[in-house]
Amino acid sequence: MAATPEADWVSRFADEVIAEAERRAPGKPIVCASGLSPSGPIHLGNLREVMTPHLVADEIRRRGHEVVHIISWDDYDRYRKVPAGIDPSWAEHIGKPLTSVPAPPGSAYPNWAEHYKAAMIESLAQLGVAYRGISQTQMYTSGAYREQILLAMRERAKIDAVLDRYRTKGRTASGAPQQGKLDEEEAAAAQEAAEGSGAASEDDGTGAAGYYPYKPYCSVCERDLTTVVAYDDDTTELTYTCQCGHGETVRLSEHDRGKLVWKVDWPMRWAYEGVVFEPSGVDHSSPGSSFQVGGQLVGEIFGGQQPIGPMYAFVGISGMAKMSSSRGGVPTPGDALQIMEPPLLRWLYARRRPNQAFKIAFDQEIQRLYDEWDTLGRKVVEGTANAADAAAYSRAVGTAAGPLPTTPHPLPYRTLASIVDITTGDPQQTLRILRDLDPADPVASLDETRPRLDRAQHWITTQVPADQRTRVLTEPDTTLLAKLDDTERESLRLLLAGLDDHWSLEGLTTLVYGVPKQRLGLPMDVKPTPELKVAQREFFALLYHLLVGRDTGPRLPTLLLAVGPAQARTLLTP
Ligand SMILES: [Zn+2]
């Protein structure tokens, strides 16, 4: 069936961006942009910075327009702080460009920025994100922005005046302007994001010797602890001093070791690349923020236009297990892709408008999410999904370049999770159980259930605490078996008598719900009564106690399949 993509937010932005691009630069490729700072592990929350323009660019491409999605690697930003888990001696590199800081010990990459970019690049490939990466180190050190830098220095008084309009507003606004609506968690996330971005408490170029929008990296210590003390517009001679004691005069028309301050750098790049769409997080969108100031500077100084720039809400995480806290406790897209397939992760972003906050589940919620995803997939096949849901689905499962890899035989995630939980991943046992699940549609090899099987297994082993894991008893609980009353004995007898004829997921479901009906003398298709529900609950609790020594566990049909008929008889025979 044909999805009607007009129904969703992606399509509405695509309409707007195409119209705007035709007005600004008819016939040119349409430019959508994201910026990422490889100052440390790139958080899963920052993925929205990429996914929002990715989805819009992909829709534009699907419609046959030429479009490029730029990801600007802010790898020429200063190294700000040593993250948790890194040797404190890295503090000596604070103030250097991220590409001049050594990679963490053991890394295969030449520097800090490359090390943290690599993991993101790998995740983006898995997610099917097509983009053109632009290293700001490469751009600045090659002199690509020479004219723009000289222009900004020439127009420094004007830039200072624009900034000053907002500096004043910032002072008159109350302490934390847009923070009121954020709950604590979002505020913390905002803080995280701000620290990881170019906007973080960077000085805007104001110094004792006047306003200069360009900041050199020191040629001796490589750090940006420099102050511009003089600049000559005619000769472009720039004099700076550094806290290390060094000082020198360079010719800016030949100097390639420095950068524009963030609030000037961003609008410069909008104009340089002709960006038409670039969303930003709330940390960039408050009054006096870099997005607002940039909107003035891009036109007044650089002769460009501000992109269409929706503000996106933060993406939270639910239930990230403690295992990751050694690495700072913040999951990366790579962490998410180890427990869910790329289409599911894409779907989480596609189905919510950018201004809607949502959470990515690392806890039990992931099982419900996968159920919802599978249900939507069935509805799409049947043609019963509504237009917006169908559009989100189609954006999740593929891009303009084609479909993303899928699991050939996608079994319910919660079933797979229960099975690998019980078998502790043993491949032979797992295959035996998977074969028995549905005799009408048997699983022939583990490979056809991958990668979903591997994701479920990774989730069980890394995210489910040991005390919630399932351990099937190896010996029958003879004490409990000896104390059973007649009703319980009769129920177990009926269950064991039916095992062979019901050995499938569906069959065992009928059997475990049916045993209490049989025992009460009710027909199998009876509507559940309160009495029956109580009987079923008591029977299930008994089975859990005898099979896994607890009140609850994975769904009983899955558990029985996993336990196997022989062991089930051993554990359930009084
Ligand atoms: Zn220095």
Side-chain angles (χ1 to χ4, degrees):
M1 61 154 273
T4 50
E6 297 74 27
D8 73 342
W9 67 267
V10 179
S11 205
R12 287 192 296 272
F13 272 124
D15 291 341
E16 204 183 324
V17 171
I18 290 168
E20 187 62 21
E22 277 167 7
R23 204 176 59 70
R24 290 185 188 185
K28 293 253 182 73
I30 299 170
V31 181
C32 301
S34 308
L36 290 174
S37 174
S39 57
I42 298 174
H43 305 159
L44 185 51
N46 294 118
L47 188 57
R48 206 167 208 179
E49 171 75 26
V50 175
M51 288 308 292
T52 307
H54 162 68
L55 291 165
V56 171
D58 190 62
E59 171 62 20
I60 293 171
R61 195 172 289 123
R62 285 177 196 232
R63 296 189 196 177
H65 294 266
E66 227 188 306
V67 58
V68 57
H69 178 191
I70 287 172
I71 294 183
S72 195
W73 298 106
D74 291 330
D75 56 11
Y76 207 45
D77 285 4
R78 75 193 303 260
Y79 183 58
R80 292 168 199 284
K81 63 171 186 180
V82 184
I86 299 290
D87 191 310
S89 70
W90 254 252
E92 69 176 90
H93 303 295
I94 288 174
K96 292 182 187 173
L98 292 166
T99 39
S100 297
V101 177
S107 169
Y109 296 92
N111 60 59
W112 188 270
E114 291 303 319
H115 177 81
Y116 289 107
K117 269 158 79 170
M120 189 66 174
I121 287 169
E122 163 61 24
S123 295
L124 294 176
Q126 283 191 50
L127 287 164
V129 174
Y131 65 95
R132 179 157 70 87
I134 298 181
S135 158
Q136 291 307 319
T137 298
Q138 199 277 325
M139 295 301 279
Y140 271 105
T141 59
S142 68
Y145 299 142
R146 173 108 55 233
E147 291 309 315
Q148 288 71 17
I149 291 168
L150 294 175
L151 172 63
M153 284 297 268
R154 235 179 3 255
E155 300 286 0
R156 60 189 177 279
K158 212 161 142 189
I159 294 174
D160 192 29
V162 170
L163 290 173
D164 201 50
R165 294 210 286 273
Y166 293 94
R167 289 186 195 117
T168 309
K169 274 189 192 166
R171 277 197 297 273
T172 51
S174 66
Q178 288 206 331
Q179 299 284 312
K181 281 184 198 152
L182 298 177
D183 66 22
E184 250 175 67
E185 192 184 349
E186 283 176 324
Q191 181 66 22
E192 283 275 1
E195 281 178 7
S197 79
S201 64
E202 183 186 308
D203 73 58
D204 63 7
T206 310
Y211 178 78
Y212 298 103
Y214 181 82
K215 195 159 183 71
Y217 281 111
C218 173
S219 65
V220 170
C221 74
E222 297 183 77
R223 293 175 294 176
D224 70 346
L225 309 176
T226 56
T227 307
V228 176
V229 292
Y231 181 68
D232 185 312
D233 284 302
D234 296 330
T235 63
T236 79
E237 278 182 351
L238 176 146
T239 305
Y240 72 85
T241 57
C242 178
Q243 287 177 29
C244 76
H246 181 67
E248 66 178 321
T249 298
V250 297
R251 199 180 287 273
L252 194 53
S253 59
E254 298 160 359
H255 186 256
D256 295 324
R257 290 291 296 172
K259 70 185 289 287
L260 293 171
V261 297
W262 166 251
K263 281 185 175 172
V264 182
D265 177 55
W266 201 18
M268 180 276 288
R269 289 191 270 133
W270 289 340
Y272 186 91
E273 304 287 356
V275 178
V276 183
F277 184 74
E278 181 169 2
S280 55
V282 293
D283 55 311
H284 287 164
S285 305
S286 51
S289 70
S290 37
F291 188 78
Q292 199 178 18
V293 174
Q296 300 295 310
L297 294 179
V298 67
E300 291 182 32
I301 307 299
F302 298 107
Q305 279 182 279
Q306 189 171 36
I308 294 167
M311 187 199 86
Y312 55 82
F314 282 105
V315 175
I317 310 298
S318 66
M320 182 73 176
K322 287 197 176 70
M323 64 108 193
S324 283
S325 58
S326 58
R327 304 201 327 247
V330 195
T332 63
D335 291 325
L337 289 170
Q338 287 194 305
I339 62 165
M340 62 184 78
E341 295 160 272
L344 187 93
L345 187 54
R346 290 174 61 88
W347 178 58
L348 300 180
Y349 288 89
R351 69 180 183 150
R352 297 279 181 251
R353 292 191 312 276
N355 61 357
Q356 287 178 296
F358 68 91
K359 286 189 175 174
I360 295 177
F362 278 69
D363 55 10
Q364 302 286 335
E365 172 71 7
I366 191 174
Q367 304 186 82
R368 201 200 53 73
L369 211 56
Y370 250 107
D371 288 345
E372 201 184 331
W373 169 246
D374 288 342
T375 303
L376 174 58
R378 279 191 294 275
K379 284 185 179 171
V380 169
V381 169
E382 291 161 5
T384 55
N386 76 40
D389 289 348
Y393 186 83
S394 90
R395 301 189 193 294
V397 296
T399 67
L404 288 164
T406 51
T407 296
H409 197 142
L411 296 163
Y413 189 90
R414 68 169 72 243
T415 305
L416 293 174
S418 293
I419 292 169
V420 292
D421 177 25
I422 297 160
T423 64
T424 61
D426 178 87
Q428 263 115 38
Q429 271 210 69
T430 303
L431 181 58
R432 170 185 65 79
I433 301 161
L434 292 178
R435 275 193 181 125
D436 288 347
L437 280 180
D438 183 2
D441 183 17
V443 169
S445 74
L446 289 185
D447 280 346
E448 65 187 58
T449 67
R450 290 188 161 118
R452 192 183 281 198
L453 173 67
D454 303 319
R455 301 297 179 270
Q457 182 161 357
H458 194 84
W459 178 70
I460 281 285
T461 51
T462 64
Q463 301 298 324
V464 179
D467 62 2
Q468 288 174 29
R469 296 287 304 270
T470 305
R471 306 250 178 275
V472 176
L473 299 186
T474 51
E475 299 293 330
D477 183 344
T478 47
T479 318
L480 179 54
L481 285 168
K483 285 194 298 191
L484 298 181
D485 62 24
D486 290 347
T487 307
E488 290 166 329
R489 284 166 187 273
E490 175 63 3
S491 297
L492 291 177
R493 193 191 63 76
L494 288 169
L495 178 81
L496 294 176
L499 275 191
D500 290 342
D501 289 344
H502 293 86
W503 199 254
S504 69
L505 199 60
E506 197 187 349
L508 288 170
T509 305
T510 309
L511 182 64
V512 297
Y513 283 91
V515 163
K517 297 177 194 170
Q518 250 181 298
R519 190 181 55 71
L520 294 167
L522 299 167
M524 289 306 267
D525 59 355
V526 71
K527 289 250 167 65
T529 60
E531 186 199 11
L532 176 58
K533 282 185 181 167
V534 169
Q536 285 172 336
R537 216 162 26 237
E538 286 173 355
F539 179 50
F540 297 167
L542 173 64
L543 292 177
Y544 282 124
H545 275 286
L546 289 170
L547 293 169
V548 297
R550 295 197 322 204
D551 290 341
T552 60
R555 290 180 175 180
L556 278 168
T558 314
L559 179 59
L560 285 166
L561 277 180
V563 170
Q567 181 70 352
R569 288 203 164 81
T570 305
L571 296 176
L572 299 177
T573 304

